[in-house]
Amino acid sequence: MRGGGLLVAGTTSDAGKSVVTAGICRWLVRQGVRVAPFKGQNMSLNSFVTREGAEIGRAQAMQAQAARVEPTALMNPVLLKPGGDRSSQVVLMGKPVGEMSARGFFGGSGGSSPGKALHGGRQQTLFEPVLACLEELRATHDAVICEGAGSPAEINLRRTDIVNMGIARAARLPVVVVGDIDRGGVFAQFFGTTALLAPEDQELIAGYLVNKFRGDVTLLEPGLDMLRGLTGRPTLGVLPYAHGLGIDEEDGLRVSLRGTVRESVVAPPVGADVLRVAVCAVPLMSNFTDVDALAAEPGVIVRFVDRPEELADADLVVVPGTRGTVKALAWLRERGLADALARRAAEGRPVLGICGGFQVLGEHIEDEVESRAGAVDGLGLLPVRVRFAREKTLARPVGEALGERVEGYEIHHGVADVRGGEAFLDGCRVGAVWGTHWHGSLESDGFRRAFLREVAAAAGRAFVPAPDTSFGTLREEQLDRLGDLIEEHADTDALLRLVEEGAPKGLPFVPPGAP
């Protein structure tokens, strides 16, 4: 029997589609519904490796956890990983198939061909495989909650759309549009989004969800009534602004992170001191969610930085992953951060490099794949030489470090030849400088505590890790909070009817429609 479904679209990027989708998944699974998340096409530098070795968007992995199911490539069949403003690596069913320009992918010409899987690189050729993945999920679940991308009213891209109204029309999915009222203009966004869609698309727009509302909801109600009068569609909930969720973002490309402090639990340190962590906001930063486990620790303050003077009072500096290792290396040098990192290493002050950050700390990089820059000198802080291979490493390693069991995941083209130092998670350590390709290692509680004790000792801080912080438990609590937001502030009866029965018949057309 084919399961029901719903598409969560948004008036803009970052309107809250990912967290609303996760919240609906968690609410449904608590009702005993077998539910799965789905996003046909995702653009993100935050990705995850499934147990079968497939790379998918980290947001979809988070949504799968919300649904209490194992993430698979079916949940995110197309992943675009930006390598700059105009090109992306195309990941199809969890495996990279090539680089492509935006024009080439969305329907123009240009860019290198990513192989036969794309049949010339046109986005629309992926429509049938994407739809097949959705139908396979619907065949094995009671409900599939789909997330759109950007806005469904991007009329310049509608012809080749495989993630918003294109998939909704093909699968006859009802659509709920989410708007971020904290940014302002949400009524115009809801109305304009609907009015710019073709009549056939408008037939599926079943209602709206207001996200990130602060204040007295009764002040909003006259506007909601007018919106219904103008569009013939109800607002299905007003979700309040929720602080401290810390749920995985789609990517770090759209937002400047300089000076941003990662949201974390509000708790004092266990010891006498806090521990300050500075994360270098390198270009094309990927999987910056690696530091979320640090931010979850009481007394650990995590901040993104881009100036050398901002490293001065840091007890630990993290050089995170990046989709542009050579570009990040040049950026660190141009900003004076490379010299600051070298000084820290010479003084025995802690530095941690993860994935691309590990690679830049090495002695030498040979890259004919990602940047095609050839031979480049690294920072020389670790005895490692890196060669970029065309085949991407996608793995879920398990190991031991600092006497503790560690789990992680690997996503990289760079192959590290470690020529010295102390072994550390398939990377190495020299003094207070650590490097590893393993993402997610800090989510292993025992290892994180042991690592922070080493950092505190090297930094001379009277910091003591909390003995009972469980990152997995905190993540579950966050997902439950999302489920609570839906249960308490959305019209769940209406949402369930949409999932089971589809969009109601006879929804009015809002002119002018698509041009």
Side-chain angles (χ1 to χ4, degrees):
M1 181 178 175
R2 186 188 191 202
L6 175 72
L7 176 71
V8 178
T11 57
T12 62
S13 294
D14 202 34
K17 296 183 294 291
S18 295
V19 295
V20 167
T21 299
I24 294 174
C25 285
R26 177 50 60 102
W27 165 69
L28 282 172
V29 77
R30 294 194 307 207
Q31 312 310 308
V33 177
R34 294 179 304 160
V35 59
F38 177 80
K39 186 164 186 172
Q41 173 197 308
N42 197 354
M43 178 174 282
S44 180
L45 288 172
N46 278 339
S47 58
F48 181 77
V49 179
T50 67
R51 294 203 180 279
E52 68 266 30
E55 184 180 7
I56 65 172
R58 180 142 179 137
Q60 278 60 66
M62 176 269 291
Q63 291 161 355
Q65 185 178 350
R68 296 179 180 149
V69 294
E70 188 68 30
T72 73
L74 292 173
M75 297 172 184
N76 181 204
V78 180
L79 173 63
L80 305 179
K81 302 194 72 176
D85 291 338
R86 296 188 179 182
S87 67
S88 294
Q89 183 181 66
V90 182
V91 179
L92 179 61
M93 290 303 295
K95 303 296 180 184
V97 293
E99 294 281 334
M100 174 146 291
S101 70
R103 180 178 292 274
F105 184 79
F106 287 108
S109 59
S112 58
S113 171
K116 294 180 181 178
L118 289 181
H119 304 292
R122 301 305 179 100
Q123 183 190 31
Q124 59 263 43
T125 64
L126 294 173
F127 184 77
E128 292 302 326
V130 166
L131 186 59
C133 289
L134 172 59
E135 292 306 312
E136 187 170 342
L137 286 173
R138 294 181 76 178
T140 54
H141 295 82
D142 301 325
V144 178
I145 307 303
C146 306
E147 180 188 345
S151 161
E154 290 168 349
I155 54 180
N156 55 316
L157 302 177
R158 177 62 185 89
R159 180 176 59 85
T160 57
D161 171 41
I162 64 172
V163 67
N164 288 309
M165 301 313 299
I167 201 77
R169 273 173 64 175
R172 302 308 299 170
L173 294 173
V175 179
V176 174
V177 182
V178 177
D180 178 0
I181 196 170
D182 196 50
R183 293 179 172 184
V186 75
F187 293 116
Q189 292 168 18
F190 284 144
F191 181 85
T193 296
T194 308
L196 276 176
L197 297 177
E200 297 83 358
D201 289 345
Q202 288 194 27
E203 288 175 2
L204 298 172
I205 302 295
Y208 311 109
L209 265 174
V210 175
N211 192 29
K212 301 182 185 178
F213 180 72
R214 308 173 194 247
D216 184 351
V217 73
T218 61
L219 299 177
L220 195 65
E221 288 171 355
L224 302 180
D225 292 340
M226 285 186 275
L227 180 67
R228 182 161 193 166
L230 289 166
T231 67
R233 291 158 174 85
T235 297
L236 301 175
V238 178
L239 308 182
Y241 196 105
H243 293 275
L245 285 173
I247 293 294
D248 303 342
E249 288 96 339
E250 282 288 84
D251 63 73
L253 210 70
R254 291 176 284 101
V255 183
S256 171
L257 290 171
R258 194 187 74 75
T260 298
V261 177
R262 293 299 279 170
E263 290 188 350
S264 60
V265 292
V266 179
V270 175
D273 288 345
V274 298
L275 206 65
R276 294 173 174 84
V277 179
V279 183
C280 296
V282 296
L284 299 174
M285 181 164 39
S286 62
N287 288 73
F288 58 85
T289 48
D290 283 334
V291 300
D292 283 351
L294 295 178
E297 283 285 348
V300 176
I301 301 167
V302 177
R303 182 180 293 274
F304 290 91
V305 304
D306 63 1
R307 298 170 181 167
E309 56 269 25
E310 293 176 299
L311 305 189
D313 67 345
D315 303 307
L316 169 67
V317 174
V318 177
V319 187
T322 172
R323 251 279 283 159
T325 297
V326 171
K327 182 181 290 187
L329 184 57
W331 181 87
L332 289 168
R333 287 182 167 132
E334 290 165 3
R335 297 257 172 172
L337 287 160
D339 290 339
L341 289 169
R343 286 194 297 272
R344 287 186 67 89
E347 295 165 0
R349 302 176 67 200
V351 176
L352 171 65
I354 302 174
C355 201
F358 166 43
Q359 295 165 9
V360 305
L361 297 181
E363 298 170 344
H364 185 78
I365 297 170
E366 197 74 35
D367 181 12
E368 299 293 348
V369 176
E370 189 176 77
S371 68
R372 298 182 177 86
V376 179
D377 288 332
L379 298 185
L381 306 186
L382 291 174
V384 176
R385 298 178 74 85
V386 176
R387 177 186 57 81
F388 274 70
R390 297 202 173 276
E391 184 175 346
K392 182 184 282 191
T393 297
L394 297 169
R396 289 278 294 269
V398 178
E400 185 177 301
L402 305 180
E404 299 285 348
R405 186 177 186 273
V406 188
E407 295 184 27
Y409 56 100
E410 295 184 65
I411 307 168
H412 54 92
H413 285 279
V415 179
D417 177 12
V418 179
R419 300 186 172 191
E422 181 183 340
F424 177 74
L425 299 180
D426 292 342
C428 67
R429 169 188 182 178
V430 174
V433 180
W434 294 265
T436 177
H437 272 134
W438 291 22
H439 294 290
S441 62
L442 293 166
E443 295 178 18
S444 297
D445 298 326
F447 165 70
R448 183 181 64 256
R449 286 191 279 270
F451 177 71
L452 289 176
R453 282 192 291 270
E454 294 250 351
V455 168
R461 293 285 187 187
F463 171 84
V464 179
D468 55 356
T469 301
S470 167
F471 184 76
T473 299
L474 289 172
R475 177 50 56 92
E476 278 296 305
E477 290 173 354
Q478 290 167 333
L479 293 172
D480 275 332
R481 285 180 63 193
L482 293 181
D484 292 343
L485 285 176
I486 297 300
E487 185 170 348
E488 296 168 10
H489 300 282
D491 185 343
T492 52
D493 289 340
L495 288 175
L496 195 56
R497 279 196 303 274
L498 291 176
V499 170
E500 294 177 342
E501 302 172 12
K505 304 298 182 185
L507 290 169
F509 172 69
V510 180

